[in-house]
Amino acid sequence: IEGAIKIPTVSVSPEDLNTTAMAEFGNYIREVFPAVFSSKFIQHEIVGKYSHLFTVQGSNPEMMPYMLLAHMDVVPAPPEGWDFPPFSAAEHEGFIYGRGTLDNKNSAIGILQALEFLLRRNYRPRRSFYVGIGHDEEVFGQKGAMKIAALLEARGVKLSFLLDEGSAILDGIIAGVKKPVAVIAITEKGSITLNFTVEKEPGHSSFPPTETSIGILAAAMSRLEQNPLRNLFGHGPELMTMEHLASEFRFPLNLIMSNLWLFSPIVSRVLAWKPSTNALIRTTTAVTMFNAGIKINVIPSSAKATVNFRIHSAEKATEVLEMVKNTVADDRVKIDVVEAFDPLPISPWDDQTFGVHILQRTILDTFPDVDSVVPGTCIGNTDSRHFTNVTNAIYRFNPLLLKSDDLPRIHGLNERISVENYEKQIKFLFQLIKNCDIDKLPEPHANSHEL
């Protein structure tokens, strides 16, 4: 992984990618995973110039294939504020520092490393599977993952499940829960980005109008922030998350979570207090850009703002747009849609769903401290959203133990992975590939702990 971190595969926008580094990444994986690239039963293809698709041909074609997905690209990392340069892969006190250690070269390299280990032991999988490594996930994945998905669809591929990044094992992050909990995201929020513009006559600041374009737009943005979209606790997977977690909470929370039919109004209000849990229960509003003004004594002719809404699974982009128009309630504010997509379908979650069973079993095999494997929501977006035509079972889970101080490091300063965490991730992926070779599911257990 250290060699991969040193390659600055940065995505800034769909038009601004470090393609030289992405090509170098392709050469690097060829060099460090010789068994993967020379195997007779693995086909490797380059898709969209820089993404990679591996088809691992299992010995039993009757078994339905699955897919492991990751991405090589990373967000920019200016070195200011980092303890070690962001592309140095410096090792310090058991941690490897660098952009991409958590998002998501750990998965891209981890999958190939697990496969390399299996091949070196002469292991031939019975069940076929695909490995996809995208090169533009951080900028919507349209040239990488989207093309890989289209290729599979054109070949008539149907997957039993797909595993991508998106959630993790949370240790001390969920208030009131002591033990680490594996949260597997079974959906991800949708998104709509809107541009707001106010155009007015320019003029001199010595005789200003009662309202300027800046004042009108600022008031509209304030109305959006002061009137958040509705609390939808109980209408999406967040209810399942709480119900599955109920026994893990300390008293009296365990009692409250076990009786959400009675206490859900209280719980929904408490969840709204913290930004991290508020994001689970509603469509969020984030004013991300505001531009206006050209000179200190000129009344500007226009003001522009951009707002990103992450859409709760119980709402659609069209509904959000309508509610936003009603909240702004000012015809002088022009609203344009930049991009929009609805929340992803909710993947099945029960013991008899192959992907769920395999993930539960592999997590409990690999992480002995974890008792609970629960469904959740991914509040960001991943490449997996492009694969809804090849499977209805998409699971977003990075097999890493994350503590609360790890969360700001993702896309932030001092992103790092512990050597122990990375080794566990490879062990998990190694075990997952082996566990997927079972023919049919064993009888359901009364309790996941017995696995």
Side-chain angles (χ1 to χ4, degrees), residues 114 163 169 180 182 357-371 373 397-401 420-435 448-449 451:
L163 178 65
I169 296 168
H357 177 84
I358 291 297
L359 289 169
Q360 284 178 336
R361 179 175 170 167
T362 311
I363 289 165
L364 298 170
D365 281 351
T366 318
F367 299 94
D369 295 342
V370 172
D371 280 347
V373 180
F397 175 72
N398 211 344
L400 295 172
L401 201 69
E420 185 189 357
N421 231 344
Y422 181 59
E423 284 172 356
K424 277 276 181 126
Q425 176 158 17
I426 295 167
K427 188 181 170 194
F428 170 90
L429 291 160
F430 181 92
Q431 198 60 47
L432 178 89
I433 295 167
K434 288 172 74 172
N435 285 348
S448 62
H449 300 231
L451 291 171

Side-chain angles (χ1 to χ4, degrees), residues 38-180:
S38 61
S39 169
K40 301 258 190 304
F41 56 83
I42 298 177
Q43 179 196 3
H44 169 248
E45 298 166 85
I46 291 176
V47 180
K49 290 188 181 170
Y50 307 103
S51 288
H52 299 267
L53 174 64
F54 299 85
T55 303
V56 183
Q57 206 60 56
S59 58
N60 183 350
E62 301 300 306
M63 297 169 91
M64 197 174 178
Y66 62 97
M67 185 167 195
L68 305 174
L69 197 59
H71 65 91
M72 71 172 84
D73 63 317
V74 298
V75 294
E80 298 79 36
W82 283 70
D83 295 343
F84 304 94
F87 297 103
S88 64
E91 229 182 295
H92 180 68
E93 293 180 351
F95 287 91
I96 301 163
Y97 283 75
R99 178 62 86 227
T101 47
L102 295 174
D103 181 15
N104 179 243
K105 283 179 179 167
N106 55 312
S107 295
I109 298 295
I111 293 164
L112 295 176
Q113 202 154 352
L115 184 52
E116 182 82 5
F117 283 154
L118 285 163
L119 293 169
R120 287 185 191 180
R121 293 178 179 200
N122 296 317
Y123 186 84
R124 168 86 193 260
R126 296 180 64 222
R127 187 185 297 273
S128 297
F129 65 96
Y130 299 89
V131 175
I133 299 175
H135 73 274
D136 60 348
E137 189 273 347
E138 298 292 1
V139 291
F140 310 122
Q142 288 164 344
K143 295 185 181 123
M146 199 186 268
K147 288 194 171 171
I148 293 173
L151 201 57
L152 294 181
E153 195 183 348
R155 291 173 183 170
V157 171
K158 288 287 178 205
L159 303 171
S160 58
F161 73 93
L162 181 148
L163 178 65
D164 193 11
E165 60 171 348
S167 192
I169 296 168
L170 307 181
D171 186 6
I173 290 174
I174 303 168
V177 176
K178 264 191 178 159
K179 282 192 158 183

Side-chain angles (χ1 to χ4, degrees), residues 183-223:
V183 180
I184 298 175
I186 56 173
T187 183
E188 57 187 63
K189 295 180 88 174
S191 175
I192 182 167
T193 302
L194 302 176
N195 276 346
F196 297 80
T197 314
V198 176
E199 306 275 357
K200 283 206 86 182
E201 281 293 308
H204 199 284
S205 64
S206 58
F207 49 95
T210 50
E211 286 182 293
T212 65
S213 56
I214 294 175
I216 293 165
L217 190 57
M221 295 301 99
S222 180
R223 283 196 292 282

Side-chain angles (χ1 to χ4, degrees), residues 218-245:
M221 295 301 99
S222 180
R223 283 196 292 282
L224 287 176
E225 289 189 333
Q226 299 302 317
N227 298 283
L229 290 144
R230 59 197 170 151
N231 185 324
L232 289 164
F233 179 69
H235 296 274
E238 68 282 347
L239 186 66
M240 283 167 73
T241 307
M242 295 304 165
E243 287 171 343
H244 279 76
L245 269 178

Side-chain angles (χ1 to χ4, degrees), residues 36 65 92 97 104 165 193 259 307 317 328 344 389 446:
V36 172
H92 180 68
Y97 283 75
N104 179 243
E165 60 171 348
T193 302
N259 294 281
V307 185
V328 169
L344 274 286
N389 288 342

